[in-house]
Amino acid sequence: MSAKTVLKILPGVALVVVLAVLPYLSLTIPGILPGRVNGPGSLQLLAVCFIFAGFALSYDVIFGRTGLLSFGHALFISAGSYLLTMSLSTWSLPLPLAILVALGLTTLLALIVGGIALRVGGIAFAMVTLAFAQAGSIIILRNPNDLTGGEEGLVLNREAIPSILIGVQNASYRYWLALGFVVLAWVLVALLVRSRAGHAMAAVRENEARAAVLGFPVYRVKLLAIVVGAFLGGLGGVVHAVVLGGSSPHLATAEFTLALLVMVVLGGAGRLWGAVVGGFVYHYADARLIELSGSSLIGSLPDLFARLLAEPLFILGTLFVIIVYFAPQGITGLAVRVLRRERA
């Protein structure tokens, strides 16, 4: 490994090390985290933020790297989550086999959905993927044979999970599990981007017709992007089920499908750190704004401002519009542009 490469990855490694030792820090950051840094509430919030960062990375493989506007990615995330929960709670499979079943069936589902949806292009592709996602959401809510729990969701069988991942006192282990997931997803996507398949995805994204003329197997490249993104999304669904203690129908809704697109655009599509930052910021803002909306500070504001600030989705939507208008390359794109100006 060259010295240039080491210098390039060093900040990322240092950040991971800092994040890994957070559960040992008994500090309080007022207004940023709910309580001590190593308190259960703060670690749980950060853990879910990491999982959302991983979700955004998995979607970026399809949208940011290959240029496919898919509205069906939530189907794969919810499939990973529900298949793990059902494997443990309903079919009583051991944890390693349950994870293999969840990831294997999610990948198979991606092959089927992607294989069909890619027969059409453009807006038709987006509509077909949305139709599959809506069908999955309806099946989950209808609760066939009491498999999915309907609107209540499905609780994880705690006896099938290692004891270090259960209970408030073990929040740090769930935090490290979520951190490990986003690091693994980041490394896999980074390796994919630098591979021949990653270069082919970039060629398809830039000009599909030219890529086809140059001999790239466009259909297989797109299908590979969907399968890899679905595998990472399904893995995120597995980790989400373990950290949250079950599966929620919210993961399969059209609202969550659109949220994935917002996360990637917010952070910067086609950028490794863009998807991570977008997913992390989206969930952090969503969770903290909900908590802030019930505070006495918001209640003391004039009625109009109090009503607006009590709606987290309104604030996130406004932030999204501002980012798209003033920084079309997302938060990370804006940061890169500012740094380059300072160096010039």
Side-chain angles (χ1 to χ4, degrees):
M1 186 179 294
S2 66
K4 187 178 179 180
T5 304
V6 172
L7 288 174
K8 196 172 182 180
I9 66 173
L10 198 56
V13 174
L15 176 62
V16 172
V17 171
V18 170
L19 292 174
V21 301
L22 281 187
Y24 296 106
L25 300 179
S26 183
L27 302 173
T28 301
I29 309 176
I32 303 299
L33 291 173
R36 290 179 290 110
V37 171
N38 62 349
S42 300
L43 292 180
Q44 185 73 3
L45 171 62
L46 292 172
V48 181
C49 286
F50 291 148
I51 295 171
F52 271 68
F55 286 161
L57 259 176
S58 69
Y59 184 66
D60 192 52
V61 173
I62 301 170
F63 175 68
R65 300 292 171 182
T66 318
L68 291 169
L69 181 59
S70 170
F71 287 140
H73 196 61
L75 175 66
F76 308 128
I77 293 174
S78 57
S81 174
Y82 271 95
L83 285 169
L84 177 84
T85 311
M86 288 190 295
S87 297
L88 295 176
S89 303
T90 307
W91 304 326
S92 302
L93 298 180
L95 181 60
L97 183 57
I99 293 174
L100 287 177
V101 167
L103 295 181
L105 291 181
T106 300
T107 305
L108 178 62
L109 181 64
L111 276 170
I112 296 172
V113 173
I116 296 173
L118 287 173
R119 295 296 176 185
V120 294
I123 193 65
F125 169 80
M127 293 300 103
V128 172
T129 54
L130 178 61
F132 274 110
Q134 287 295 87
S137 178
I138 291 171
I139 290 172
I140 288 173
L141 290 175
R142 291 292 176 86
N143 191 21
N145 297 322
D146 291 330
L147 274 176
T148 62
E151 294 181 358
E152 301 297 324
L154 204 59
V155 178
L156 200 64
N157 179 11
R158 294 191 171 193
E159 294 180 357
I161 301 296
S163 58
I164 60 170
L165 295 172
I166 304 296
V168 176
Q169 71 279 9
N170 290 322
S172 56
Y173 293 99
R174 293 193 293 276
Y175 168 87
W176 283 320
L177 174 66
L179 177 61
F181 160 64
V182 73
V183 171
L184 175 64
W186 193 95
V187 171
L188 290 178
V189 175
L191 292 175
L192 175 67
V193 169
R194 288 163 177 76
S195 68
R196 293 182 63 182
H199 294 312
M201 290 176 190
V204 170
R205 178 193 62 201
E206 295 302 323
N207 192 320
E208 183 177 330
R210 183 180 296 171
V213 170
L214 291 174
F216 287 103
V218 174
Y219 181 86
R220 281 187 288 168
V221 170
K222 290 180 177 178
L223 187 59
L224 176 65
I226 292 175
V227 170
V228 172
F231 177 83
L232 292 176
L235 181 60
V238 167
V239 177
H240 187 270
V242 173
V243 171
L244 274 294
S247 301
S248 165
H250 173 68
L251 288 180
T253 60
E255 178 187 324
F256 186 70
T257 299
L258 292 174
L260 291 167
L261 178 62
V262 173
M263 292 176 209
V264 172
V265 174
L266 195 64
R271 295 174 181 270
L272 278 170
W273 286 106
V276 172
V277 170
F280 189 98
V281 168
Y282 182 92
H283 181 72
Y284 176 83
D286 190 29
R288 294 295 287 162
L289 287 172
I290 289 175
E291 185 177 327
L292 186 64
S293 64
S295 67
S296 57
L297 175 65
I298 298 297
S300 63
L301 294 174
D303 185 59
L304 176 61
F305 292 105
R307 285 176 181 271
L308 292 177
L309 292 177
E311 296 291 339
L313 287 179
F314 171 81
I315 298 174
L316 281 170
T318 305
L319 178 62
F320 177 75
V321 172
I322 293 172
I323 291 292
V324 169
Y325 189 78
F326 291 102
Q329 293 183 331
I331 296 173
T332 52
L334 178 63
V336 170
R337 200 166 62 189
V338 170
L339 288 174
R340 284 177 179 170
R341 282 185 182 178
E342 289 183 352
R343 289 174 183 171

